[in-house]
Amino acid sequence: MSLFLAFLGVSFVILATPGPDTAITIRNALLGGRAGGVFTALGIAGGQTIWALATSAGIVALLVASEPLFLAVKYAGAAYLIYLGVKAPREAWRPSHQAERAAIAKPSRRLTAASAFRQGLISDLSNPKMAVFFASLLPQFVPPGGESFAALLGLGAVFAVMTFVWLTLYATVVAKAGDFLRRPSIRRVIEGMTGVVLIGLGIRIATEHR
């Protein structure tokens, strides 16, 4: 129990630190309302569940140990974040007053649930930090003599659920302030800032060492 409580504490600190998952959730909550944010969070949690399963099966350890594979995942993830970051301000400054009125009235049409889920899933699976996180952190909280596969998978699932709940709170807050945040001038500023953050995160992932 003490190991599990320690794991919850460490997980909360990690979740409370904003990163690519937070930025994408906020962006998609602006584009698709609460549903857009929630489905993004669901995709991110699904990606983490896959990472947990891969860690339990030993696949993640092979990825981390293989420099070419690790770099491939790293650069793919960085490129995807930069792509989303460039796309955000382009959409924000699209010169269409009719599109702006539609975005304010019915934001969910700007982003489907499937697109939001896919973006969250791809973003998480292409983040090499998740591989390092699951491979290095989770084993430290497995009880001595316990079944490692079940324990690792269980801890990973708990972290995925915590992530979903945390990001859903973000999506709810953004959605509740939706009418204000989706005003053309405000939305442009926020989407522009989110785009810059995503580009910066992508560049950081691409250039930093393990």
Side-chain angles (χ1 to χ4, degrees), residues 123-142:
S123 171
D124 193 81
L125 289 179
S126 59
N127 185 356
K129 283 190 172 183
M130 295 308 301
V132 176
F133 166 76
F134 278 100
S136 61
L137 185 66
L138 293 189
Q140 299 181 39
F141 297 96
V142 175

Side-chain angles (χ1 to χ4, degrees), residues 52 70 75 106 205:
F70 185 86
Y75 292 134
K106 296 181 180 180
I205 288 176

Side-chain angles (χ1 to χ4, degrees), residues 2-210:
S2 60
L3 279 176
F4 182 68
L5 292 177
F7 170 74
L8 293 180
V10 172
S11 297
F12 180 77
V13 172
I14 294 172
L15 291 175
T17 305
D21 293 344
T22 304
I24 290 177
T25 301
I26 293 175
R27 172 186 179 273
N28 286 355
L30 284 172
L31 292 176
R34 184 175 182 272
V38 170
F39 275 98
T40 302
L42 187 61
I44 292 168
Q48 292 177 351
T49 302
I50 294 174
W51 279 122
L53 181 60
T55 301
S56 304
I59 298 174
V60 168
L62 296 176
L63 171 64
V64 174
S66 174
E67 188 73 15
L69 285 177
F70 185 86
L71 289 176
V73 173
K74 182 175 79 168
Y75 292 134
Y80 187 69
L81 288 178
I82 293 173
Y83 163 75
L84 291 179
V86 172
K87 188 177 179 182
R90 284 178 56 193
E91 291 183 351
W93 289 93
R94 183 183 302 166
S96 172
H97 299 295
Q98 184 176 0
E100 287 178 350
R101 289 196 296 269
I104 297 173
K106 296 181 180 180
S108 60
R109 289 187 178 180
R110 299 189 64 201
L111 182 72
T112 64
S115 295
F117 179 85
R118 182 174 62 253
Q119 288 182 17
L121 182 67
I122 294 175
S123 171
D124 193 81
L125 289 179
S126 59
N127 185 356
K129 283 190 172 183
M130 295 308 301
V132 176
F133 166 76
F134 278 100
S136 61
L137 185 66
L138 293 189
Q140 299 181 39
F141 297 96
V142 175
E147 175 57 45
S148 60
F149 181 88
L152 288 172
L153 184 58
L155 291 173
V158 169
F159 185 81
V161 171
M162 292 177 65
T163 299
F164 175 73
V165 173
W166 182 257
L167 293 179
T168 295
L169 290 176
Y170 267 103
T172 301
V173 171
V174 173
K176 283 187 177 297
D179 290 340
F180 172 75
L181 295 178
R182 282 190 295 271
R183 291 176 181 176
S185 58
I186 302 298
R187 178 177 58 82
R188 284 172 175 169
V189 172
I190 294 177
E191 287 194 27
M193 292 175 60
T194 303
V196 171
V197 169
L198 288 171
I199 293 172
L201 289 170
I203 294 174
R204 190 182 72 178
I205 288 176
T207 56
E208 70 182 357
H209 298 289
R210 296 196 189 192

